[in-house]
Amino acid sequence: MEPLLMIVGLLALFVIVFAIKGLKIIQQAETMIVERLGRFHRVLDSGINILWPFLDQPRQIHWRYVTQDNTGERRVTITKLTDRIDLRETVYDFPRQNVITRDNVTMEIDALLYFQVTDAIKAVYEVANLPQAIEKLTQTTLRNVVGEMDFDECLASREVINTKLRSILDDATDKWGVRVSRVELQDITPPAEVQEAMEKQMRAERDRRAAILKAEGEKRAAILEAEGEKEAAINRAEGEKRATILEAEGEAEARYKIASAEAMAILKLVEAFKDRPGDPANYLIAVRYIEALKEMAEGKENKIIYLPYEASNFLGSIGGIREMFKA
């Protein structure tokens, strides 16, 4: 009885081990290539899959993982063998690559590659080491693309380089079951002497722009100052012109009023002499003589009295006035 129990126990253990080895759980967005007796058998989907132990074996593939070292810096580990194929989009951060431009400038370029496995069978059987093949293809393609461009063109045309790289790599990796979705240049590092020359050129360009802006500002200020002086001169001339016109109009109006007043006074004087003896002209002349003598005699220090040359006429005029008032 005991040997029978032992046999049953061994059979049960064998079935359990067989079942455990025959069950494969595949995560979402992963797949596995299964070979039966060394030949391709099928592709496992995500979920629970049943295999025949010892007959069905998963095919391993080279894969590259990104981890962190003890210092916390991001680094790429050595490529390892795994039986799981990740179907998600994966990023490869390649080490810096030395390239030479068309004008013989050597520089370092740090590139990122985004790709996705679209056909697991091709990724396993069409290329021996997929990460290494993609890396070497990216490096050689980058050298070819940059070698057709000048240094200044490389610095100013990153998007053009990215587009060319993505197109070439996507066509080349299609037979490997890989789709390259994007290529990005993280950094372009020229030699130290080129960087120094670029900095000098940038400083000279900034100084030139500053000088141009200063000259343009001074020119603009001079133009505005000249325009201001011109407008001020025009305004002054207009003001002087207007003042002269107003002064002339005032003098003309004053003279007109004085002449009108004198004309009215003469008319009234003539009217007054109608019924009286005497000449109005003599009266007016005598009044003007008296006013002139008064002006000449004014002043504290003035001790000289001026008489007209024809004093007899003057006295005659005064006598005429006296006779007029007597009448």
Side-chain angles (χ1 to χ4, degrees):
M1 195 67 182
E2 290 182 1
L4 182 61
L5 291 175
M6 291 180 62
I7 293 172
V8 172
L10 291 174
L11 288 174
L13 181 62
F14 178 77
V15 170
I16 293 172
V17 173
F18 190 85
I20 292 174
K21 290 186 65 68
L23 290 177
K24 290 292 182 181
I25 299 176
I26 307 300
Q27 300 292 332
Q28 184 69 31
E30 288 185 353
T31 189
M32 180 185 293
I33 300 295
V34 176
E35 295 179 343
R36 176 169 290 179
L37 299 177
R39 298 187 64 180
F40 171 74
H41 177 55
R42 65 191 178 103
V43 178
L44 301 185
D45 298 326
S46 58
I48 298 177
N49 296 270
I50 299 176
L51 303 178
W52 287 100
F54 309 110
L55 296 179
D56 296 337
Q57 295 293 332
R59 177 64 181 262
Q60 291 187 331
I61 184 174
H62 291 277
W63 205 258
R64 181 175 293 174
Y65 298 93
V66 177
T67 60
Q68 289 184 346
D69 55 11
N70 295 331
T71 61
E73 296 182 357
R74 188 170 180 269
R75 65 184 180 87
V76 179
T77 61
I78 300 174
T79 302
K80 297 190 297 185
L81 286 172
T82 179
D83 56 2
R84 308 295 176 101
I85 301 174
D86 197 338
L87 300 178
R88 296 172 297 178
E89 188 175 47
T90 307
V91 56
Y92 275 2
D93 187 1
F94 300 113
R96 292 179 175 271
Q97 177 67 31
N98 290 326
V99 295
I100 302 176
T101 61
R102 185 169 56 187
D103 49 354
N104 296 324
V105 177
T106 303
M107 57 184 180
E108 293 183 348
I109 295 182
D110 189 5
L112 283 177
L113 177 68
Y114 295 84
F115 75 95
Q116 185 177 14
V117 176
T118 57
D119 192 333
I121 298 175
K122 290 182 179 180
V124 172
Y125 294 107
E126 294 294 334
V127 60
N129 190 329
L130 181 63
Q132 185 180 11
I134 294 176
E135 178 182 353
K136 298 303 179 184
L137 179 62
T138 303
Q139 291 175 351
T140 55
T141 306
L142 183 60
R143 288 196 189 100
N144 294 335
V145 171
V146 174
E148 297 175 353
M149 306 173 69
D150 294 332
F151 175 70
D152 293 337
E153 189 179 359
C154 291
L155 295 179
S157 306
R158 291 195 180 191
E159 190 63 31
V160 176
I161 298 174
N162 294 341
T163 304
K164 287 184 178 180
L165 285 175
R166 192 203 64 78
S167 177
I168 296 172
L169 292 175
D170 191 29
D171 293 340
T173 57
D174 184 62
K175 66 177 182 178
W176 299 340
V178 173
R179 180 179 63 85
V180 177
S181 59
R182 189 168 50 178
V183 180
E184 295 289 343
L185 300 184
Q186 291 189 98
D187 189 21
I188 298 178
T189 306
E193 58 273 11
V194 176
Q195 289 186 13
E196 184 178 357
M198 290 172 62
E199 291 176 358
K200 290 181 179 179
Q201 182 180 1
M202 290 174 61
R203 285 196 296 269
E205 181 66 19
R206 285 196 295 268
D207 293 341
R208 184 183 69 84
R209 291 180 182 177
I212 291 174
L213 291 175
K214 182 180 179 181
E216 289 180 352
E218 292 176 351
K219 175 184 175 183
R220 184 63 180 166
I223 292 173
L224 292 175
E225 184 178 357
E227 290 179 352
E229 292 178 355
K230 176 183 175 182
E231 291 180 2
I234 292 172
N235 291 334
R236 283 195 300 270
E238 289 288 339
E240 292 174 358
K241 174 184 174 183
R242 185 63 180 166
T244 304
I245 292 173
L246 291 175
E247 185 178 357
E249 290 177 352
E251 290 179 358
E253 186 176 355
R255 289 180 181 179
Y256 176 77
K257 289 184 177 181
I258 292 172
S260 298
E262 289 182 352
M264 295 202 41
I266 291 171
L267 289 176
K268 289 186 177 182
L269 185 62
V270 170
E271 245 180 70
F273 273 93
K274 277 183 183 179
D275 301 330
R276 292 180 177 83
D279 189 359
N282 291 332
Y283 173 76
L284 291 174
I285 292 171
V287 170
R288 292 299 174 94
Y289 273 131
I290 294 172
E291 290 177 355
L293 287 173
K294 181 181 178 182
E295 290 178 1
M296 288 188 295
E298 285 181 353
K300 294 181 179 180
E301 303 297 330
N302 195 356
K303 304 300 183 181
I304 301 173
I305 299 175
Y306 296 92
L307 292 176
Y309 178 73
E310 296 180 353
S312 60
N313 293 336
F314 171 67
L315 294 175
S317 299
I318 296 175
I321 296 172
R322 182 173 59 80
E323 292 295 332
M324 179 185 68
F325 281 108
K326 280 183 180 182

